[in-house]
Amino acid sequence: MSSTGAPSSQPVGPLSRVCLGFLGYLEVEKGYSPATVSAYAADLQQFAGFLLRRGKSLDDFEAIARDDATGFLAELHRTRQKKSSMARKLSTLRSFFRYLIRNRMLTQSPLAGLRNPKQESRQPRALNVDQATALMDTPAKAGPEGIRDLALAELLYGSGLRVSEALSLTIDDVRADRGFVRVRGKGGKERLAPLSEAARLRLSEYLDERGGLSRDAADQTLFLGVRGGPLTRREAQRIVSRLAEQAGVGQSVHPHTLRHSFASHLLQAGADLRSVQEMLGHSRLSTTERYTHLDLRRIMEVYDKAHPYSEKPAASTENGGGGAGRAGDDPTGKYETDTAAKGKEKA
């Protein structure tokens, strides 16, 4: 095993013509980004290396069996790969074998019926409104870099952009005067993301100062680094972390934290799920639903305001009162929640 924890593999050389054709199909017909295509290529290389150690080849499609796929997953598990990473690699292989079947190079996928590893139920942490406001109100450093940093943060939080989407923006994509930016999301899909008033002002200010960072007048990339080239993901991460530290936010903050906070705050304020889905650029509603988790206090507040029994004393069983709010219906006493107790106190 390598020092990184990934399975060791023998050199497998360049991918076959069929694999390259599959990767070209992803890029041209499916519209996947270069980064996504590179990830698919790396997954195929890793599986090819695993097959090589078994005396097989990724080019010999018919010889690949179900136990090769399960063995590959078992090796990933032994080397402590994350379940999300395992699921992604399995998705790559599924797509590859579907491509072979579609092009009549294979009749049946060896992965048929194979399920993804059960994922850990993890939710990204969101900032509360006060923390987000403090981060956005952090005083800017002197010069165009400081203005750029706050403009980037405003876009990530105010418009809910992925960091990759923000860093791929060009000057022409920004319509600050009209209140939106044109975003190229996953799969090459375009959408219009609304700009908050703060983001509009920050971007306008940054565009006035952007020339102080530019080294090439022909480069239309919106966010530039200190050397004049496009701002990198690592630099964006450092910017967000530094702003959070200056604002006194007591937790680790990543660019995606701001996107998650954007979605969470909209939903908590009453925005409908479909609208948030559109703004985030999610193709499936189930992806947006990950952002709908609210803390228990918020749930109890909604219950107190909406449920007919929430603010009323528990009905006595002697009076024959009915309904879901009766403490007498629960001889164990477990039904009596904090909300019911609070209702008694107010009564």
Side-chain angles (χ1 to χ4, degrees):
M1 181 169 43
S2 69
S3 60
T4 61
S8 60
S9 61
Q10 302 176 30
V12 295
L15 291 171
S16 68
R17 181 177 299 177
V18 172
C19 291
L20 294 177
F22 166 66
L23 297 174
Y25 157 78
L26 295 178
E27 184 174 9
V28 176
E29 295 192 33
K30 301 291 285 185
Y32 288 178
S33 69
T36 300
V37 174
S38 295
Y40 273 72
D43 292 341
L44 289 176
Q45 285 275 15
Q46 190 173 359
F47 185 55
F50 172 79
L51 292 174
L52 187 62
R53 296 193 296 279
R54 287 192 162 201
K56 294 185 177 183
S57 169
L58 188 56
D59 300 332
D60 189 3
F61 316 129
E62 297 289 348
I64 300 174
R66 182 188 178 91
D67 71 303
D68 293 317
T70 56
F72 181 56
L73 290 178
E75 179 170 302
L76 294 174
H77 179 73
R78 285 195 302 271
T79 55
R80 300 181 182 275
Q81 296 283 298
K82 292 182 179 180
K83 290 183 178 179
S84 58
S85 178
M86 295 167 63
R88 193 203 73 231
K89 295 176 190 297
L90 194 58
S91 176
T92 294
L93 298 181
R94 283 199 182 99
S95 297
F96 177 63
F97 287 115
R98 281 199 300 268
Y99 169 81
L100 296 179
I101 293 172
R102 188 179 299 112
N103 287 277
R104 300 182 179 179
M105 289 180 274
L106 193 67
T107 57
Q108 184 176 359
S109 171
L111 276 64
L114 190 62
R115 295 183 178 181
N116 282 346
K118 187 175 181 180
Q119 300 296 301
E120 300 93 342
S121 180
R122 294 189 306 155
Q123 293 288 359
R125 294 179 63 184
L127 302 178
N128 61 41
V129 175
D130 289 339
Q131 289 173 320
T133 301
L135 192 151
M136 298 303 142
D137 289 342
T138 302
K141 295 192 305 182
E145 291 177 45
I147 300 171
R148 174 205 62 195
D149 295 352
L150 291 178
L152 174 64
E154 287 285 359
L155 263 183
L156 296 174
Y157 173 65
S159 301
L161 269 59
R162 301 178 179 93
V163 65
S164 58
E165 294 171 343
L167 298 182
S168 66
L169 290 174
T170 66
I171 295 175
D172 289 339
D173 291 328
V174 179
R175 296 288 188 272
D177 57 330
R178 299 176 62 183
F180 68 84
V181 290
R182 184 175 64 234
V183 181
R184 283 169 290 279
K186 290 186 176 180
K189 296 179 180 178
E190 288 193 359
R191 70 180 190 278
L192 299 181
L195 289 173
S196 67
E197 181 63 14
R200 190 184 66 80
L201 293 174
R202 294 285 191 192
L203 281 170
S204 296
E205 187 179 6
Y206 168 63
L207 287 171
D208 289 339
E209 300 291 336
R210 179 183 171 278
L213 295 172
S214 177
R215 299 292 182 270
D216 180 2
D219 187 357
Q220 294 295 294
T221 304
L222 177 62
F223 290 110
L224 301 175
V226 292
R227 296 182 179 179
L231 194 71
T232 66
R233 292 177 69 103
R234 181 169 294 183
E235 289 173 318
Q237 170 62 66
R238 289 172 180 165
I239 289 169
V240 172
S241 296
R242 185 177 66 249
L243 291 175
E245 184 178 355
Q246 291 176 340
V249 177
Q251 69 182 68
S252 177
V253 179
H254 303 271
H256 192 74
T257 308
L258 299 182
R259 173 174 161 88
H260 178 58
S261 302
F262 162 84
S264 296
H265 296 168
L266 279 178
L267 290 166
Q268 289 173 20
D272 67 275
L273 200 58
R274 287 288 183 184
S275 296
V276 176
Q277 177 192 4
E278 289 294 325
M279 285 186 276
L280 290 173
H282 288 157
S283 58
R284 291 180 293 185
L285 189 63
S286 60
T287 307
T288 314
E289 287 173 344
R290 295 176 62 247
Y291 293 82
T292 61
H293 71 285
L294 302 174
D295 59 32
L296 182 60
R297 182 180 302 175
R298 170 66 175 165
I299 294 173
M300 299 309 282
E301 287 175 357
V302 173
Y303 177 85
D304 285 343
K305 292 178 181 178
H307 199 280
Y309 280 102
S310 64
E311 298 295 336
K312 298 178 181 179
S316 169
T317 54
E318 296 178 357
N319 295 333
R326 295 187 303 174
D329 289 342
D330 180 23
T332 66
K334 294 180 180 179
Y335 181 86
E336 190 169 306
T337 63
D338 291 341
T339 299
K342 184 167 64 175
K344 289 182 180 180
E345 291 172 3
K346 291 184 178 180

